Amino acid sequence: MATSGTSAFALNIGEVIEEAFNQCGMKMKTGYDLTTARRSIDLMMLEWQNRGINFWTVEQTSVTLTASAVSQTLETDTIDIIEAFIRTGSGTSQVDLPMTRISSSEYSQVPSKNSQGRPVNFWLDKQLTAPVMYLWPVPDKGTYTLIYYKLRRIEDTGSLPGATDPDVPARFLPALVSGLAYRISSKYPELLPRRNDLKMEYAEQWELALSGDRDRSSLRFVPGGYRNP
């Protein structure tokens, strides 16, 4: 028997919602069913972001630093910074020098916050609208490029769910559908008897998806080096 020869199966937001209602033994009948399901997906995406690093949301960003600028405001979709570097030179003379992340307490104890030089440390101040990265020392020239790997927010469902795709890899679709079915079950009284079963299915699908979404590089322990005050 011949196979399809394709491996591009996907679901748009509307299909995810329809499948979740089917797993609950229901059919989506009203506009409110659609609205509340979309809201549940967006809340679940925030929940997934709180669970830890979702590797498909890790992105590299670069920005040219301004001389004497104490801080750098990051993109509004930035949740956290995983690693940061200062890049000097270009081409074969390009060098990426790692930066060390320090806490708010460590930054507050730096006596000379306006000292200038090549930034080696940063403190990430997570503001309501956009995180702010405070650099130390302050850049002494405008030729430094800040390179950082950020953890960004998962995109929303949008206003037209039938025309948008979920911002998750295909391997997370079973977890997305089962998670939505579990959330739907808490909103409809007739589904309460099935809620525990749907919760168990969601937990299983999440663990299966998470087991494949990890860094498979070798783990090495390196003694701590010198940290600037």
Side-chain angles (χ1 to χ4, degrees), residues 15-65:
E15 291 169 330
V16 167
I17 295 173
E18 183 179 14
E19 179 64 22
F21 271 97
N22 290 163
Q23 288 193 8
C24 291
M26 296 178 60
K27 289 186 178 180
M28 185 173 53
K29 298 179 180 179
T30 67
Y32 176 76
D33 290 340
L34 177 62
T35 299
T36 189
R38 281 182 47 228
R39 186 165 59 241
S40 291
I41 292 177
D42 288 334
L43 287 171
M44 186 163 55
M45 293 300 94
L46 296 178
E47 172 205 326
W48 285 12
Q49 290 163 186
N50 289 332
R51 287 175 180 253
I53 296 177
N54 301 307
F55 281 99
W56 75 90
T57 64
V58 176
E59 294 182 352
Q60 177 181 301
T61 305
S62 64
V63 59
T64 301
L65 297 178

Side-chain angles (χ1 to χ4, degrees), residues 79-120:
I79 297 176
D80 208 346
I81 298 298
I82 299 177
E83 290 186 272
F85 306 84
I86 291 294
R87 175 170 294 173
T88 61
S90 61
T92 57
S93 63
Q94 175 182 299
V95 177
D96 288 347
L97 302 166
M99 300 181 69
T100 299
R101 182 170 180 167
I102 60 177
S103 66
S104 58
S105 176
E106 290 174 307
Y107 182 77
S108 66
Q109 294 176 28
V110 174
S112 53
K113 294 182 177 61
N114 292 321
S115 294
Q116 296 192 4
R118 174 179 62 82
V120 295

Side-chain angles (χ1 to χ4, degrees), residues 51-225:
R51 287 175 180 253
I53 296 177
N54 301 307
F55 281 99
W56 75 90
T57 64
V58 176
E59 294 182 352
Q60 177 181 301
T61 305
S62 64
V63 59
T64 301
L65 297 178
T66 302
S68 303
V70 176
S71 63
Q72 178 71 41
T73 300
L74 308 183
E75 296 89 345
T76 56
D77 67 346
T78 304
I79 297 176
D80 208 346
I81 298 298
I82 299 177
E83 290 186 272
F85 306 84
I86 291 294
R87 175 170 294 173
T88 61
S90 61
T92 57
S93 63
Q94 175 182 299
V95 177
D96 288 347
L97 302 166
M99 300 181 69
T100 299
R101 182 170 180 167
I102 60 177
S103 66
S104 58
S105 176
E106 290 174 307
Y107 182 77
S108 66
Q109 294 176 28
V110 174
S112 53
K113 294 182 177 61
N114 292 321
S115 294
Q116 296 192 4
R118 174 179 62 82
V120 295
N121 293 328
F122 73 93
W123 165 50
L124 187 64
D125 185 10
K126 295 184 178 181
Q127 295 292 316
L128 180 63
T129 54
V132 178
M133 180 184 284
Y134 286 86
L135 308 169
W136 190 83
V138 175
D140 59 342
K141 51 188 176 182
T143 57
Y144 297 122
T145 301
L146 172 64
I147 308 293
Y148 60 92
Y149 290 89
K150 71 175 184 179
L151 188 65
R152 65 163 176 82
R153 284 187 59 170
I154 301 175
E155 295 180 7
D156 304 331
T157 56
S159 58
L160 297 173
T164 57
D165 298 327
D167 183 24
V168 300
R171 63 182 180 277
F172 271 82
L173 286 176
L176 177 60
V177 171
S178 59
L180 178 58
Y182 166 61
R183 285 180 172 268
I184 289 174
S185 69
S186 66
K187 300 183 177 185
Y188 297 84
E190 63 270 28
L191 293 177
L192 290 180
R194 305 185 60 172
R195 190 164 188 264
N196 286 336
D197 290 339
L198 292 169
K199 181 178 181 180
M200 292 175 60
E201 176 67 15
Y202 174 36
E204 180 179 355
Q205 293 297 337
W206 170 258
E207 289 301 323
L208 288 173
L210 192 64
S211 66
D213 195 54
R214 67 179 188 271
D215 191 339
R216 300 180 185 273
S217 60
S218 301
L219 176 63
R220 294 179 297 172
F221 294 94
V222 181

